[in-house]
Amino acid sequence: MLENGSHFFEGVEKLLEIWFEESSNGDDDLRNISRSDWENVLSNVNCQIISTSKNDIIDAFVLSESSMFVSKRRWILKTCGTTTPLKCLGQLLKLAEANGYNVVADLFYSRKNFTRPEAQITPHQGFTEEVTYLDSIFPNGRSYCLGSMNLECWYLYTFSRSDIKITPQLISDEKNVDSDPDQTIEILMQDLDPETMSIFYKNKFNDANGATVKSGIDTILPTMHIDDFLFDPCGYSMNGINDKGEYMTIHITPENQFSYVSFETNVALSNYRKLINQVINTFKPGKFIVTIFANKCSLAYETMKELEVEYSQGSHWKRTDMQCCNFPSYNLLFAQYSHSEKTGDNL
Amino acid sequence: MLENGSHFFEGVEKLLEIWFEESSNGDDDLRNISRSDWENVLSNVNCQIISTSKNDIIDAFVLSESSMFVSKRRWILKTCGTTTPLKCLGQLLKLAEANGYNVVADLFYSRKNFTRPEAQITPHQGFTEEVTYLDSIFPNGRSYCLGSMNLECWYLYTFSRSDIKITPQLISDEKNVDSDPDQTIEILMQDLDPETMSIFYKNKFNDANGATVKSGIDTILPTMHIDDFLFDPCGYSMNGINDKGEYMTIHITPENQFSYVSFETNVALSNYRKLINQVINTFKPGKFIVTIFANKCSLAYETMKELEVEYSQGSHWKRTDMQCCNFPSYNLLFAQYSHSEKTGDNL
C-alpha cells in the first residue's frame, strides 16, 4: 500500500463474471469445489479468503481484496488493489471442467479506469494488455470502452457463446432466446463525504456490524443476510445474500485522498432509480458511475429506457455521460454523474 | 498508393465538422473565405480542390481526397488516404476569426478504424495521438470509441461549448436548449459487391455522370444537385446540395481487396430506415456501420429509438453491435451490421 513513498490503495475493482452452460448432470455444481481448491485459485490472484457465508443457492466469500460468489453454474470474482484476477482463469476453467462444466456460456470482465494504472501488475497494465490476455483464451470476445477515453471511463470485455452458435435469424428475434432472467447493477463512487467515510475506520467501531448499522448499509436491501468485515486500520467489505440466491456486495476505501466505494447487486427490480438514490444518499459521493446489465428475460430490460430519460431531471446531479449498448442477449446502460457543487462545472 | 510493394488505398475517411457560435454581425460568413485561402488550408491536409458547386446556402468542394462543405457558420472536411486534416485546424480557426467567428460552439472529429493504421502520418498514427493533438486545442473535449475496440470500431472526439457554459439545471431540462435542428447520418460500407464496384472505373465510363446514373446514385436523394468526379484509373466522389442547403456526399474506393464506400447526408428525415435500405441496395456491402447524430430540435431525435429496435428484424443482416450515446445537446446512434451469408457467422 506504499507507492512511491505516499500511501495509496487502488479501490477500483476488476470484476469477472462467468456463466457456464447448463450441464446434463443435475448434480454438477461449482459449489462442490473445495475450499483448498479455491485457495489455490485465489493465490494466483494474490488474495485470501477471510470470511464465508452461504445458503441453499449461493456461497459468498469476503476476500482480503473484495469478494467472490459461487452458485451452481455462475462464478463472480471482484478484486481491488493490485490483484491479478485474469491469472487464475486457466485454473478456474480446469476446476469447472472437473466439476461438469466445460463450456463457458458468457463471460464479462469489467473495470473502471484505474486511479494509478502504473501501479498495476501484468497482465493488468492497461486494458489492451488485459484484452490480449483474454483473447488468447476467448478468441471471439469483444472489448468496449464506455465513457470518455481521455477522462473517465469503464472498460468491458465480453464473450458470449450465443455470438457464435445462434443463427442471425434467431438473434434478430431476440425475445425468444431462452435463458434465466439476469441483471446486475453496479454503482462506482468517488470523492466521498469524509464524515461518512470516517465510519469505516477500525478506531471507530470494534466490529464491522457497528459500521454497517451506523452507515445504514443494512437498510439498503433489508432482506440480505450480511457478512461484513472492517479492516485495520480502515476499509470495509460486505457480502449480502438472500433466500432467492440474490447477492449484494459493498467495498469501501475510505481514505480522503483516494476514497472509493463500490455497490453491486443482482436483485431483480423493475426500476433501479430508488435503489440508486438510496445508495447515493448513504455514501454521498462527489461523482459516480452506474452500470446496469439486463438480459431479455429480466424485469429491468424494458425499464432501462425509462431510467435513461428520468434520472437527472431536476436534481443537482449533472449527467456527464450516458451510453446504452445492445448485445446479443444483454442490454447495458452506462451513466456517469457528478455533483454540480463539488465539481464546480456550473460556471 | 503503393505500400510495401502492394497496391493499397485507405478509403476510410477522417471527418471533421465545426460549428461556430452565431456572430452579432449578420454579414459574417465562412463563405467569404477566398479560394486561395482554402487552398492554403488544404495544403496542410495534403489535398487539392478539383471541383466546386454552390447555391445560396452552401458551398461544396470535391477534393482530390473526398470533400469539403462550407456554409455560414459550419465547416465540414472529410478526407481519406493518408491526409492530415487535424494539421489545418490552427489555420482554419484563424481564418474563421478573421471572418467574424472566434468561438467554436461544437466540434466533431470521427473516423472508423483504419484498414492499415501503420500507413498513416502524424498526428493520425492512432486515436490516442489524434486525441492528444485535439486536447491541445480544445482542453474540454471528450473522446469515445464505439463498437469493439479489438475488432471494428468508430472513434469520436467531441467538444461542445455547452458542456462548459450551460448550468446543470439547463442540461437536465434538455428540450429547452435553443439551437438549429441538425442531424447527420453516415453509412460506412466495406466488402462491396465487385460487379457494382466495376462501375466506378474510368475504362467503363468517360464521365462521372455515366457512373452516377448506372449505379442509381442519382435516385437516392433526387432533389440533390450533383457534382461528381470519376478518378483515373478508378474511384468516385460526389457532392450533392439542395435548395434547403442540405448536402449528401459519397466516396468510393472500388478495388476488390480493400473496397470501401461512404455515404453521408444531413437531410432531415423522421425515419432513416428507408434511406439506409436504399443505400445498402445500391452498393451491396458485406458489412457496414451506421452512425446517426441528431440534436434535440431534430426530427430524427425521437425516432432513433425506433430504428434501434426495428432494424435487423427479419432481415439477412446480423447486427453485431449497437450503441446509443446521450451527449448534452446531441444523441448518437451507432450500429454495425454484417451480411450473414458473406461472413459465415451462422455456424
Side-chain angles (χ1 to χ4, degrees), chain A residues 276-288:
Chain A
I276 293 169
N277 280 323
Q278 189 166 0
V279 170
I280 297 311
N281 290 329
T282 301
F283 298 108
K284 305 181 184 67
K287 60 183 181 181
F288 64 99

Side-chain angles (χ1 to χ4, degrees), chain B residues 4-5 19 31 60 65 100 115 117 120-123 125 143 149 157 199 205 223 240 246 275 318:
Chain B
N4 302 328
W19 291 73
R31 289 171 300 172
E65 272 92 358
T115 305
Q120 293 295 317
I121 298 165
T122 194
Q125 295 180 318
S143 61
M149 299 171 82
Y157 182 95
I199 297 171
F205 293 100
T223 64
E246 294 170 335
L275 178 65
K318 176 179 173 181

Side-chain angles (χ1 to χ4, degrees), chain A residues 163-166 168, chain B residues 318 320 338-340 342-347:
Chain A
D163 274 353
I164 305 166
K165 75 171 183 182
I166 296 180
Chain B
K318 176 179 173 181
T320 47
S338 62
H339 197 292
S340 54
K342 286 200 183 183
T343 58
D345 274 345
N346 53 343
L347 298 173

Side-chain angles (χ1 to χ4, degrees), chain A residues 246-301:
Chain A
E246 295 169 334
Y247 71 89
M248 73 180 275
T249 185
I250 294 174
H251 299 283
I252 299 174
T253 301
E255 289 99 320
N256 197 32
Q257 312 91 295
F258 43 83
S259 62
Y260 176 87
V261 176
S262 72
F263 171 90
E264 178 184 342
T265 185
N266 69 340
V267 292
L269 296 176
S270 59
N271 191 315
Y272 285 102
R273 197 178 171 183
K274 195 178 151 223
L275 178 64
I276 293 169
N277 280 323
Q278 189 166 0
V279 170
I280 297 311
N281 290 329
T282 301
F283 298 108
K284 305 181 184 67
K287 60 183 181 181
F288 64 99
I289 280 173
V290 178
T291 66
I292 305 175
F293 273 99
N295 72 359
K296 306 293 181 288
C297 310
S298 165
L299 273 175
Y301 187 73

Side-chain angles (χ1 to χ4, degrees), chain A residues 142 144 148 172 312 321 324, chain B residues 142-144 148 172 312 321 324:
Chain A
R142 293 172 161 268
Y144 298 90
S148 304
S172 300
S312 87
D321 256 315
C324 179
Chain B
R142 294 175 161 267
S143 61
Y144 299 90
S148 303
S172 299
S312 87
D321 257 315
C324 181

Side-chain angles (χ1 to χ4, degrees), chain B residues 48-244:
Chain B
Q48 295 82 42
I49 297 168
I50 55 178
S51 181
T52 64
S53 58
K54 59 173 69 187
N55 62 25
D56 288 346
I57 310 175
I58 188 167
D59 292 1
F61 301 76
V62 175
L63 306 179
S64 54
E65 272 92 358
S66 307
S67 290
M68 179 169 78
F69 294 93
V70 184
S71 45
K72 194 173 187 310
R73 66 181 186 100
R74 187 195 64 206
W75 176 75
I76 299 173
L77 179 64
K78 184 172 203 166
T79 64
C80 57
T82 55
T83 49
T84 51
L86 296 187
K87 284 180 86 170
C88 80
L89 266 179
Q91 206 176 346
L92 183 274
L93 295 177
K94 272 184 206 157
L95 273 176
E97 194 170 352
N99 283 272
Y101 295 101
N102 51 10
V103 179
V104 171
D106 286 289
L107 171 138
F108 306 93
Y109 173 72
S110 66
R111 65 172 175 84
K112 194 185 171 302
N113 62 301
F114 295 124
T115 305
R116 293 210 190 157
E118 69 281 5
Q120 293 295 317
I121 298 165
T122 194
H124 294 281
Q125 295 180 318
F127 189 54
T128 306
E129 191 185 39
E130 293 168 313
V131 170
T132 303
Y133 193 94
L134 284 159
D135 273 345
S136 71
I137 305 173
F138 304 96
N140 292 290
R142 294 175 161 267
S143 61
Y144 299 90
C145 176
L146 303 187
S148 303
M149 299 171 82
N150 62 337
L151 298 170
E152 290 199 89
C153 61
W154 182 80
Y155 296 106
L156 170 68
Y157 182 95
T158 175
F159 166 84
S160 176
R161 192 160 175 261
S162 64
D163 273 356
I164 305 167
K165 75 171 182 180
I166 296 179
T167 63
Q169 285 69 21
L170 283 174
I171 286 179
S172 299
D173 204 7
E174 287 159 338
K175 298 275 173 183
N176 294 334
V177 174
D178 183 32
S179 59
D180 299 330
D182 182 49
Q183 56 284 312
T184 304
I185 178 168
E186 261 201 305
I187 308 172
L188 309 176
M189 296 162 268
Q190 289 179 307
D191 297 348
L192 295 118
D193 174 49
E195 200 179 314
T196 308
M197 288 300 100
S198 72
I199 297 171
F200 305 100
Y201 279 75
K202 193 87 181 178
N203 64 7
K204 202 126 176 189
F205 293 100
N206 276 330
D207 66 341
N209 182 252
T212 300
V213 173
K214 172 72 177 170
S215 60
I217 285 173
D218 56 329
T219 68
I220 295 176
L221 291 169
T223 64
M224 292 288 174
H225 176 85
I226 291 178
D227 182 15
D228 46 12
F229 193 87
L230 197 54
F231 292 84
D232 192 3
C234 68
Y236 171 95
S237 285
M238 72 79 78
N239 290 336
I241 52 177
N242 69 14
D243 295 344
K244 294 183 194 168

